[in-house]
């Protein structure tokens, strides 16, 4: 197995940033790649703190003047945080929300049994839930996940049987036909054991749609389950839900047990978090440069929406801009100005009003989706092979190993070098995400990215007929 290492984020700023500044190199400098004899994608992964081959890591450090390259290695095990559960991943590019994590962790350590995180797609609900699971390892070392976006069956009986089986119980076909029995069984296990259960994409099991919102559970047994869990005299386990909207029935139940449930609506990143995100991707944000001003306007226009900002950063970092924020703004700044106009038209507020990032209007939600669409269009123009891979890769509903994606390219007739180049292009533009599951590196598409890719794939197939 090839040994890989990654850099400590603290040492990158304290050591490498100083050395490359002395050489007048930026973080994505072709001269640096040439001196280290590495590719630009490898240098970018180095800056993001992602694992790269040890010899590449050494050559990058020595090229910038650091002979003792071992001193900046992150010696904490890469999978340490991801090992909390076979079903949980961990976002290496995490930024911000420190105060919110502290507040929500305290609630869950206290009496809160059910925490629901709400917000529009791409806002970071799942990532925050996973981060909370990391923070709560000492309270609840056993974590389990149910993702309705991946589940073929989302009725309560099926999910309950799945959890019970995971917990070592024997569930017979007869048991599966008795939802009341399963409910009592699951609630009993949750009351007696310190489990942490993450339930993603709850909006899928609600009646409604993206335009009008969601309201009631499609399966009435979910309502009965939460009623039973919240009304119990005691409960050792904790449940974290993520949903694009708050289920009305759960809210009604929760109001009767205010100490045992809590709803947190997620906003986008604040200004400092936005800049931290841009910096972590590899963009220059220091000083009072025009680049910092442009990035601030971009972040504010999209109200700190993490997925939209990553997509924009990916475009800035790659050809033809190669990290030149001013050049990107000159070309596409009008798109940001259009979003700024949307905000001015739809929100009337005085100078004394507090700016609420969690109040996304329908128009702004559409603007975020349009931003992703434009990213797809530019990818098709600039790196068509990567665009093809992104579209055909949308067939994977679940995170899969890298070789699955490469096999897709092979079936499309591309050689090994073309396959790797296409995959790197998607990584660079944050159009695929990486996660560690059972010490294995898996690739996935965010739901917003995947839904757009599926739409393009459908159009592709129709035009090919």
């Amino acid at each position: 197995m090839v040994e890989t290492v990654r850099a400590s984020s603290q040492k990158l700023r304290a050591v490498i940033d100083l050395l490359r500044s002395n050489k007048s190199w930026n973080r994505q400098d072709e001269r640096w790649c040439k001196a280290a004899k590495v590719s630009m994608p490898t240098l970018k992964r180095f800056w993001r703190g992602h694992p790269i081959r040890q010899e590449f890591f050494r050559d990058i450090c020595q090229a910038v003047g650091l002979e003792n390259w071992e001193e900046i290695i992150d010696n904490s095990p890469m999978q340490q945080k991801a090992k909390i559960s076979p079903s949980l991943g961990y976002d290496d590019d995490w930024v911000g929300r420190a105060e919110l994590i502290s507040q929500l962790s305290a609630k869950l350590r206290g009496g809160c049994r059910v925490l629901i995180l709400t917000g529009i797609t791409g806002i970071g609900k799942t990532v925050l839930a996973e981060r909370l699971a990391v923070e709560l390892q000492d309270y609840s070392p056993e974590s389990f996940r149910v993702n309705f976006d991946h589940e073929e069956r989302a009725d309560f009986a099926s999910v309950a049987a799945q959890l019970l089986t995971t917990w070592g119980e024997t569930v017979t076909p007869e048991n599966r036909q008795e939802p009341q029995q399963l409910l009592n069984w699951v609630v009993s296990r949750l009351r007696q054991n310190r489990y942490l259960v993450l339930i993603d994409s709850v909006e899928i099991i609600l009646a409604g749609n993206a335009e009008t919102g969601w309201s009631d559970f499609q399966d009435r047994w979910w309502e009965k389950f939460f009623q039973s869990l919240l009304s119990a005299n005691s409960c050792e386990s904790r449940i974290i839900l993520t949903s694009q909207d708050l289920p009305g029935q759960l809210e009604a139940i929760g109001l009767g047990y205010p100490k045992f449930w809590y709803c947190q609506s997620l906003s986008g990143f604040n200004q400092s978090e936005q800049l931290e995100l841009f910096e972590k991707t590899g963009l220059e944000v220091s000083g009072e440069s025009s680049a910092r001003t442009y990035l601030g306007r971009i972040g504010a226009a999209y109200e700190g929406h993490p997925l939209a900002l990553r997509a924009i950063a990916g475009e800035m970092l790659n050809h033809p801009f190669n990290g030149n924020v001013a050049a990107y703004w000159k070309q596409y700044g009008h798109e940001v100005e259009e979003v700024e106009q949307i905000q001015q038209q739809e929100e009337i507020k005085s100078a004394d009003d507090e700016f609420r990032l969690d109040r996304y209007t329908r128009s702004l939600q559409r603007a975020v989706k349009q931003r992703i669409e434009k990213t797809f269009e530019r990818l098709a123009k600039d790196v068509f092979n990567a665009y093809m891979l992104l579209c055909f890769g949308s067939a994977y509903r679940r995170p899969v190993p890298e070789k699955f994606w490469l096999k897709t390219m092979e079936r499309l007739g591309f050689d090994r070098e073309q396959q790797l180049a296409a995959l790197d292009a998607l990584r660079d533009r944050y159009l695929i995400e990486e996660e560690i599951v059972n010490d294995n590196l898996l690739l996935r598409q965010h739901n917003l990215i995947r839904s757009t890719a599926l739409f393009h794939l459908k159009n592709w197939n129709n035009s090919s007929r």
Side-chain angles (χ1 to χ4, degrees), residues 175-208:
N175 294 146
R176 295 173 184 270
Q177 303 303 315
E178 297 291 338
Q180 183 65 62
Q181 181 186 43
L182 292 171
L183 186 154
N184 295 338
W185 201 351
V186 168
V187 170
S188 177
R189 288 296 300 256
L190 291 172
R191 291 186 60 192
Q192 298 173 19
N193 299 275
R194 282 196 171 185
Y195 296 147
L196 178 64
V197 181
L198 272 59
I199 305 180
D200 281 326
S201 303
V202 170
E203 69 274 2
I204 290 177
I205 65 171
L206 303 177

Side-chain angles (χ1 to χ4, degrees), residues 114 156 183 187 199 202 205 217 220-232 239 241 247 249-250 253-254 257:
V114 177
F156 172 77
L183 186 154
V187 170
I199 305 180
V202 170
I205 65 171
F217 292 109
R220 65 188 181 92
W221 286 102
W222 282 110
E223 180 184 6
K224 292 178 178 292
F225 165 71
F226 286 111
Q227 176 71 53
S228 179
L229 188 71
L230 291 174
S231 63
I239 296 180
L241 312 174
Q249 292 163 315
L250 177 56
I253 297 169
Y257 307 94

